[in-house]
Amino acid sequence: MDRLANTVRPYAWGSTTALPELLGTAATGEPQAEMWMGAHPGAPSRIDRGAGPVSLAEVIDAAPEAELGADTVRAFGPRLPFLLKLLAAGSPLSLQVHPDLAQAQEGFADEERRGVPVDAAHRNYKDANHKPELIVALTPFDGLCGFRHPAQAADLLEGLGVDDLKPYADVLRASPEEDALREVLTAVLSAERHAIATTVERAAVAADQLAAKGGPHADAYAAYAVLAHHYPGDPGVLAAMLLNHVQLQPGEALFLGAGIPHAYLGGLGVELMANSDNVLRCGLTPKHVDVPELLRVVRFEARDAGVLRPEEVDGEEVYETPIDEFRLSRFAAAPGAAPRPLPSRTPQVLLCTAGAVELREVGAEAGAGGSTGAGAGLTLTPGESVFVPAGERITLSGDGMLFRATVVA
């Protein structure tokens, strides 16, 4: 197994304190949004097997079956099919959706055929892969996920008392579910910018006042008022009002499948996703919004937010999803317990989020930390992680929490 040296991405929406507090490092005053663990070409982790630091992506490229196992390569190709992150949102991220695999392949091929540069601001598809993702809260975590039922969205809009919102509420009450959601989202995102900005401002003032009064929608109104503060006049604020507002407690999770509009608003979490950069934005961003392509990808289906809680399987707490490219679970190591063997068929990234956990190769003698070789072990503290190649047998012990990212065997 290899200790990972990981890159922290300084996106503007990142918290200035959450990651430093977890990692036990000094805050710099700058945002620290995501720490990436894996072999994504944008910021691959680095390992050292005795010849100096090298990209994990390069190591896998040099010997994919040795690192990933023949089954994983056969199923997903010669690359690590997932990316694990620590995500620390200090302010709201953009409202967005991800394509399914067929849509990503079609969209990528089309933009390649038309010669759209991969780094162009108006490019929608950076690769030909889908991007399902899972977020597990480490702290209370605020987000938006999936469409509300139209009548509930109408109640929320009408409660603001803004005349300009009445036509949207009327459509939500009168039309079939899919038609209603499609028509209102299309109208909001296609509206003349100055006119919709005025409506957003009025809605934001009303939401702020209603949040202060309390009531059944107070938390949601407060969230929408915060969105409007960060993105004044952005039509994405009204689009967000069509979505479920959810507040996760530590250990709870959301799965974001293809076509499900969502946004993370604030909090610290562990995120696991397929290895892709494909994002179609709906709003809450200065970046490109391709409304026709977005409407082609969005699934106009009302649903509950779908909060997930882990299910225990032989002492491993698993977050079940319908995705084969990744599988996330966690282990609570308890002091005095016998070392626990971890499955070894598939490649793994292991991340400590609390306490201290000791990882040791089966049958290994005591060793010191760093990049390990045969006969070595190491201890992980919060924010530290390792890559375990397929076939390598290790045990877990200590007193802490360990997240395990792998593929479905």
Side-chain angles (χ1 to χ4, degrees):
M1 56 185 159
D2 302 279
R3 187 184 291 275
L4 297 178
N6 303 306
T7 298
V8 174
R9 310 306 295 264
Y11 304 135
W13 50 262
S15 168
T16 59
T17 58
L19 276 179
E21 287 175 1
L22 180 72
L23 299 171
T25 59
T28 64
E30 299 299 318
Q32 298 184 43
E34 296 180 347
M35 187 173 80
W36 289 21
M37 291 155 281
H40 190 286
S45 300
R46 298 169 303 285
I47 66 174
D48 188 343
R49 293 182 175 174
V54 63
S55 159
L56 179 60
E58 293 177 7
V59 171
I60 292 172
D61 286 345
E65 288 201 6
E67 303 295 336
L68 305 178
D71 290 344
T72 298
V73 172
R74 189 177 304 112
F76 308 111
R79 66 171 188 166
L80 191 67
F82 61 81
L83 175 64
L84 183 66
K85 298 180 180 180
L86 280 169
L87 183 146
S91 59
L93 283 68
S94 61
L95 184 61
Q96 58 190 253
V97 296
H98 305 303
D100 63 26
L101 186 57
Q103 289 165 339
Q105 291 171 340
E106 180 183 345
F108 180 77
D110 175 65
E111 290 184 320
E112 288 288 282
R113 185 168 51 250
R114 292 190 286 115
V116 181
V118 144
D119 58 354
H122 62 287
R123 176 98 184 203
N124 292 317
Y125 297 94
K126 308 296 186 183
D127 53 68
N129 199 16
H130 62 165
K131 192 188 177 188
E133 58 191 42
L134 176 71
I135 183 80
V136 179
L138 294 180
T139 66
F141 195 96
D142 218 17
L144 304 170
C145 179
F147 286 109
R148 294 176 182 270
H149 292 277
Q152 296 172 353
D155 289 344
L156 195 77
L157 294 178
E158 288 174 342
L160 291 167
V162 176
D163 289 344
D164 292 346
L165 297 178
K166 187 176 186 305
Y168 301 140
D170 290 345
V171 170
L172 290 168
R173 293 199 186 281
S175 301
E177 176 182 288
E178 181 177 346
D179 294 342
L181 294 172
R182 180 183 293 276
E183 183 174 344
V184 173
L185 183 65
T186 302
V188 166
L189 297 183
S190 304
E192 193 275 323
R193 189 61 187 246
H194 177 74
I196 202 70
T198 300
T199 302
V200 170
E201 290 168 7
R202 292 171 179 163
V205 170
D208 197 35
Q209 293 171 344
L210 289 167
K213 290 181 181 179
H217 297 304
D219 287 343
Y221 284 138
Y224 300 135
V226 168
L227 292 179
H229 170 74
H230 285 284
Y231 301 99
D234 192 309
V237 175
L238 298 184
M241 292 183 182
L242 300 175
L243 307 186
N244 296 299
H245 174 238
V246 59
Q247 294 174 302
L248 300 178
Q249 295 305 307
E252 294 181 332
L254 291 175
F255 172 70
L256 294 316
I260 305 300
H262 62 277
Y264 302 147
L265 307 183
L268 176 66
V270 173
E271 186 180 36
L272 184 59
M273 62 182 61
N275 209 347
S276 172
D277 283 330
N278 286 325
V279 175
L280 289 154
R281 293 175 178 84
C282 311
L284 309 180
T285 178
K287 295 181 179 179
H288 175 63
V289 177
D290 184 335
V291 174
E293 184 65 13
L294 172 73
L295 297 175
R296 187 179 79 88
V297 168
V298 170
R299 293 183 179 177
F300 291 95
E301 302 171 354
R303 45 164 281 172
D304 295 331
V307 175
L308 295 177
R309 295 171 182 84
E311 300 179 11
E312 185 171 331
V313 181
D314 297 328
E316 181 181 19
E317 296 181 313
V318 181
Y319 291 91
E320 295 287 356
T321 72
I323 298 300
D324 290 340
E325 285 94 332
F326 63 69
R327 178 182 185 272
L328 187 66
S329 60
R330 64 180 188 177
F331 296 90
R340 176 188 178 86
L342 298 185
S344 61
R345 285 186 54 203
T346 56
Q348 308 172 62
V349 174
L350 306 177
L351 166 68
C352 177
T353 59
V357 293
E358 183 178 3
L359 303 175
R360 188 169 299 281
E361 294 176 6
V362 173
E365 299 297 328
S371 176
T372 67
L378 56 79
T379 297
L380 299 183
T381 56
E384 295 184 329
S385 56
V386 299
F387 171 70
V388 184
E392 187 165 325
R393 300 168 60 204
I394 61 172
T395 61
L396 161 69
S397 60
D399 182 10
M401 183 65 71
L402 185 81
F403 279 83
R404 175 178 179 257
T406 185
V407 299
V408 175

